[in-house]
Amino acid sequence: MNLADALAHHTRARPERAAIIQGERIITYAELDLLVRRWAAHLAAQGISRGDVVGIALKDSPEHLLALYAAARLGAVSLPIDVRWTPAECQAVAARFRARRVLVEPGAALDDLPCIAVDAGFHRAVLAAPAQMAFPDGPDCAGMPLLVSLSSGTTGRPKGPVVTHGQFLRRFWTHWIDLGLDSSQVYVSATPLYFGGGRTFAMSQIFAGGTVVLFPPPYKPEELVAEVARRGATSLFLVPTLIRRLLDLPDDTLAPLRRLSLLLSSGAPLHPNERLLIRDRLCAGFHEYYASTEGGGISLLRPSDLEGQSDSVGRPVFGVEVAILDDAGTKLPAGEVGRIAYRGPGVASAFFEDPEADAEAFSDGWFLPGDLGTLDGHGYLRLRGRRKDMIIRAGVNIYPLEIEALIATHPAVQEVAVVGWPAHQTGEEIAAFVVPRQAVPLEELHALCAARLAPYKKPREIFIIPELPRNASGKVLKPELARSLPPL
């Protein structure tokens, strides 16, 4: 089906229910289907047809969600563009993926690219547009491309997996089956809609008939808690960086979060001690979702897993098969470290016009996200870090995530990142960068590592820094840390 087909059903079944809320603004389901159809008709009048790529460079607003669903209604392909990028970055990505038009904020423009400003004139034209055009619908839409979702930012060669309506729908199945994100939910969207998780969960809730409350950053942690209380929210998705800020608040301030049925973390791995703290202090319904832009959900760590499996990212989600492969593509036995591979009906089949990226990431029906891990005999998946981040010291493979998890157990450590340090004699040494929560003596951290790690895994140096460098999605830029190290 076309994902926008669901909106007509909600118009009949729950017309008064709020579909999208931001501040004092409310769009009900009685209004949403009509708005999306008129948006699609207006985009068609601007020369956009089925199969055309439409850039969406909009803020985190109802218009952003309307644009995503209007493009789907029209049969066009959405290209999310981060509104915080420079014009040059936007221009490069829009040109790379051959965007026919780019939706931009009022007053914004990109040289040499036809832009459509979502301004007062745009809204007047939408209200005058017909709502009864013939749009693609029904089962023939399953294989129709829905969006190109960037997976490597704007540096180097941007890679964009093409995800179809059918593949996105199967990702929604996982949200309903494994997470309980159904029509009864009041979901707070507190991460940018440009990013995969923020966009996908919000679209999933609208498809299901739930309520999406837009509360995008920047905000103070206590302001987010107050919004959860104000809306009577039932579900919330956050990246680990934001969850860690919540953990710094007092228990009485955090009380509204404990009424959530679901607190979901994804985007980067948490450490075992953090997972237990989140469940005990923030929300008993805490789940950690290991996922990728290309394939959606891979595995899920549930509250019931935390007592014995808190060092894992859980077991595969509905419909997904996970394996650990060696470099030749052969399955490895339980407990051995290798390349994580997975397959399922929600996984993209290819990148946008990029056979080189296809060859790197797809192998014999498997998708390889670039992570290393192990599977145990009970099906629990444990991450060992990014394949490109693995440290080889004197011929021995060392996985930074193991060292990071240990250092993170020190109560004075807020965040930590471990990187390889090029060295003449050993090939690589180990450097750890620590963001402290409070003053922490370096000798305590070195003693912790000496007591709990094999000698070859101990960091040569531990550096205290005020913050970790991150990209726009909040991921730590380890190459930038490595470049800051003096030569050995």
Side-chain angles (χ1 to χ4, degrees):
M1 64 186 302
N2 187 315
L3 291 188
D5 290 347
L7 304 185
H9 169 79
H10 299 322
T11 296
R12 297 186 297 269
R14 47 182 63 83
E16 299 87 5
R17 183 172 175 85
I20 304 170
I21 298 174
Q22 186 170 41
E24 301 306 314
R25 186 179 176 189
I26 299 174
I27 298 175
T28 67
Y29 277 105
E31 301 166 316
L32 184 60
D33 184 50
L34 187 60
L35 269 173
V36 166
R37 288 177 179 274
R38 285 181 166 159
W39 266 65
H42 180 56
L43 294 180
Q46 301 300 304
I48 299 170
S49 304
R50 177 172 176 168
D52 287 341
V53 176
V54 181
I56 300 177
L58 298 175
K59 294 179 180 178
D60 299 302
S61 63
E63 282 70 29
H64 196 134
L65 291 173
L66 288 168
L68 288 166
Y69 265 100
R73 177 76 283 164
L74 185 56
V77 185
S78 292
L79 173 67
I81 294 175
D82 194 339
V83 73
R84 296 170 296 179
W85 288 347
T86 65
E89 290 173 312
C90 297
Q91 180 91 13
V93 168
R96 159 71 180 88
F97 295 103
R98 296 191 287 106
R100 184 170 180 83
R101 297 284 191 277
V102 180
L103 298 176
V104 298
E105 292 292 328
L110 300 176
D111 293 339
D112 303 323
L113 279 177
C115 295
I116 301 173
V118 182
D119 54 16
F122 179 95
H123 289 296
R124 286 194 298 270
V126 163
L127 292 178
Q132 303 306 320
M133 283 183 60
F135 297 115
D137 59 8
D140 291 340
C141 293
M144 189 168 63
L146 175 73
L147 62 85
V148 178
S149 186
L150 299 187
S151 59
S152 63
T154 57
T155 58
R157 186 183 79 248
K159 294 187 296 183
V162 181
V163 187
T164 67
H165 284 247
Q167 289 163 344
F168 233 60
L169 179 58
R170 288 305 298 262
R171 298 182 187 192
F172 292 174
W173 284 28
T174 300
H175 300 169
W176 309 326
I177 292 169
D178 283 323
L179 299 174
L181 285 171
D182 56 24
S183 62
S184 68
Q185 294 292 309
V186 177
Y187 166 77
V188 175
S189 177
T191 55
L193 294 172
Y194 161 73
F195 301 127
R199 173 177 61 248
T200 305
F201 291 122
M203 292 185 72
S204 172
Q205 277 291 271
I206 289 173
F207 183 93
T211 297
V212 175
V213 178
L214 293 174
F215 192 74
Y219 48 72
K220 295 178 180 178
E222 53 270 29
E223 293 172 338
L224 173 60
V225 177
E227 182 71 0
V228 167
R230 177 188 177 196
R231 304 298 184 181
T234 58
S235 49
L236 171 66
F237 160 66
L238 295 173
V239 295
T241 302
L242 296 173
I243 290 181
R244 290 180 180 119
R245 292 173 186 166
L246 289 171
L247 286 170
D248 288 334
L249 297 178
D251 285 343
D252 56 346
T253 302
L254 296 172
L257 298 184
R258 291 192 280 274
R259 294 192 285 271
L260 292 169
S261 61
L262 173 69
L263 173 60
L264 186 63
S265 175
S266 190
L270 290 156
H271 302 303
N273 64 307
E274 292 177 319
R275 292 168 178 143
L276 293 166
L277 269 176
I278 294 165
R279 181 200 64 184
D280 295 342
R281 291 199 60 223
L282 302 186
C283 178
F286 165 67
H287 291 66
E288 185 172 354
Y289 199 53
Y290 172 49
S292 77
T293 302
E294 297 84 355
I298 304 169
S299 67
L300 183 67
L301 185 71
R302 298 170 172 83
S304 57
D305 298 322
L306 285 173
E307 291 305 329
Q309 308 291 341
S310 65
D311 61 337
S312 79
V313 287
R315 291 191 272 204
V317 297
F318 178 79
V320 171
E321 180 185 358
V322 178
I324 305 298
L325 307 180
D326 63 17
D327 287 339
T330 303
K331 284 188 180 182
L332 292 170
E336 288 200 24
V337 176
R339 303 176 71 183
I340 295 174
Y342 68 104
R343 57 191 176 195
V347 181
S349 303
F351 290 92
F352 182 93
E353 299 177 357
D354 199 336
E356 183 180 340
D358 291 344
E360 292 174 358
F362 295 95
S363 176
D364 295 326
W366 297 100
F367 177 72
L368 300 109
D371 292 330
L372 298 172
T374 65
L375 275 174
D376 68 16
H378 300 286
Y380 285 95
L381 178 64
R382 288 171 172 80
L383 302 182
R384 293 294 181 260
R386 297 288 292 170
R387 188 169 182 238
K388 63 184 180 182
D389 292 338
M390 184 176 70
I391 300 167
I392 304 177
R393 183 181 185 274
V396 178
N397 293 346
I398 297 167
Y399 306 104
L401 199 59
E402 177 186 3
I403 304 169
E404 291 167 355
L406 173 64
I407 295 175
T409 63
H410 193 288
V413 172
Q414 185 176 56
E415 292 186 291
V416 57
V418 169
V419 302
W421 189 350
H424 178 68
Q425 290 189 340
T426 58
E428 285 185 295
E429 291 290 339
I430 301 165
F433 292 84
V434 167
V435 177
R437 179 172 282 109
Q438 59 197 52
V440 51
L442 283 177
E443 59 268 20
E444 288 187 14
L445 298 181
H446 281 291
L448 176 65
C449 293
R452 302 276 296 278
L453 294 172
Y456 62 84
K457 296 181 184 178
K458 292 188 296 183
R460 172 150 178 172
E461 294 287 350
I462 298 175
F463 300 93
I464 303 296
I465 58 175
E467 61 182 1
L468 296 173
R470 301 180 185 277
N471 65 13
S473 65
K475 294 185 183 296
V476 176
L477 297 172
K478 288 192 172 184
E480 190 170 316
L481 291 172
R483 286 192 294 271
S484 72
L485 294 166
L488 288 178

